[in-house]
Amino acid sequence: MTISGRLQTFSDAVRLYGRYFLIHIKSVMQYKTSFFLTCLGQFFTSFNVFLGIYFMFRRFHTVKGYTYQEVLLCYSIVLMAFTLAEAFARGFDTFSSIIGNGTFDRIMVRPRGLILQVLGQKIEFTRSARLLQAVIMLIYGLQAGGVLWTPARGLTVVLMIAGGTALFSGLFLIYASICFFTLEGLEFMNVFTDGAREHGKYPFDIYGKRFLLIVTFLIPYACIQYYPLLFLLGRGKGWYAFLPLAGFLFLIPCYVLWRIGVRHYQSTGS
């Protein structure tokens, strides 16, 4: 395919996703009260976590050398990345139902990419309240964290959020890929998604060296949280700023597993 052909294909994909986006907005706006109450519930759920951090630092002023503002900066970035992934890659998180009700059979016969169509199946706008909370905490953490800001550090924050979103999206993709073999979602995957969000409240080195090794080389959470955070705080090396790119590299094995699952898939027959 020529470069112009690839650009045209990409443009068509963006337009199609834009239509999915508008359809989901119109859908949630049909039940405005339900939408806003769900957003409120999402806000208070994550707000409880914030209160836990706040009251702990009222009692203990530092955690392994990290101040309240530094931890809040760390947590806000992880929360934002997870929320963006959960909002826009939710189709993979609910993939077991897509297989179970025969929707994936229809997806496969359409002349568009499978991943794009699965992404378009579910967009969680109710996560906007949690995203707003993450933005507020991030702004406060950026201002009060004592970071000496430079263009490189600003770019690092963007890479941490983008790389984290890619990493969590890859985990949702793994979850969907496993569904090709099990037909049902495996709850243990929540250890790697919700569990990582909860553990990501604090820099990963507070959990010990063995844990840090696991989240560096097995699933690179530390590459989008701990190491670039050290660079932001002036405690790490300059090349730590590029480690969030590992979140995008993590998508490669996730996609390979997805392709294996697609080849393994047999129609539900419904």
Side-chain angles (χ1 to χ4, degrees):
M1 183 182 293
T2 64
I3 295 178
S4 60
R6 292 181 183 276
L7 290 175
Q8 182 61 42
T9 301
F10 178 76
S11 177
D12 291 341
V14 171
R15 283 199 296 268
L16 178 59
Y17 188 79
R19 292 179 181 177
Y20 278 125
F21 193 88
L22 292 175
I23 288 171
H24 282 291
I25 287 181
K26 292 179 180 178
S27 176
V28 297
M29 287 297 102
Q30 293 299 313
Y31 305 95
K32 296 181 179 63
T33 302
S34 175
F35 170 71
F36 288 117
L37 288 178
T38 304
C39 287
L40 192 63
Q42 289 288 330
F43 180 88
F44 282 114
T45 298
S46 55
F47 187 70
N48 287 335
V49 179
F50 164 74
L51 287 179
I53 297 174
Y54 173 77
F55 286 119
M56 192 192 71
F57 274 93
R58 289 290 300 269
R59 178 65 178 84
F60 306 99
H61 300 297
T62 62
V63 175
K64 203 172 182 179
Y66 296 102
T67 65
Y68 170 66
Q69 290 81 8
E70 291 170 350
V71 168
L72 207 60
L73 174 62
C74 171
Y75 177 53
S76 64
I77 291 174
V78 172
L79 180 63
M80 187 177 299
F82 178 83
T83 302
L84 288 171
E86 193 178 33
F88 296 103
R90 185 67 170 174
F92 292 116
D93 195 30
T94 59
F95 192 70
S96 58
S97 63
I98 293 176
I99 286 185
N101 60 24
T103 300
F104 194 69
D105 290 353
R106 296 195 297 270
I107 288 176
M108 293 191 73
V109 298
R110 294 170 182 163
R112 286 292 183 269
L114 299 180
I115 288 181
L116 174 64
Q117 293 186 69
V118 174
L119 287 174
Q121 294 295 309
K122 188 75 171 177
I123 301 176
E124 284 285 4
F125 292 104
T126 55
R127 300 301 187 265
S128 57
R130 188 195 297 168
L131 182 63
L132 175 62
Q133 184 178 125
V135 170
I136 294 173
M137 287 193 297
L138 178 62
I139 293 174
Y140 175 75
L142 293 176
Q143 291 180 343
V147 177
L148 180 60
W149 289 106
T150 63
R153 286 190 168 91
L155 179 61
T156 300
V157 172
V158 174
L159 287 177
M160 290 172 72
I161 296 171
T165 303
L167 176 62
F168 284 114
S169 297
L171 290 170
F172 289 134
L173 185 58
I174 291 176
Y175 174 86
S177 303
I178 293 175
C179 291
F180 285 118
F181 303 93
T182 63
L183 300 182
E184 295 290 338
L186 299 181
E187 292 299 324
F188 84 88
M189 284 298 298
N190 291 331
V191 173
F192 302 104
T193 52
D194 296 298
R197 180 194 64 192
E198 292 302 311
H199 283 83
K201 291 183 294 186
Y202 304 99
F204 284 125
D205 64 327
I206 75 167
Y207 302 111
K209 292 183 178 180
R210 291 183 180 179
F211 184 83
L212 184 59
L213 287 174
I214 292 173
V215 297
T216 298
F217 297 105
L218 183 59
I219 301 178
Y221 299 116
C223 294
I224 58 98
Q225 188 243 46
Y226 170 65
Y227 295 109
L229 179 68
L230 291 183
F231 172 73
L232 292 180
L233 300 178
R235 304 174 191 172
K237 300 177 181 179
W239 57 271
Y240 284 1
F242 299 99
L243 287 179
L245 296 175
F248 296 97
L249 294 177
F250 182 71
L251 288 174
I252 296 175
C254 298
Y255 178 72
V256 171
L257 181 61
W258 165 264
R259 294 300 304 168
I260 293 173
V262 170
R263 287 197 296 269
H264 178 272
Y265 177 71
Q266 296 178 350
S267 173
T268 59
S270 60

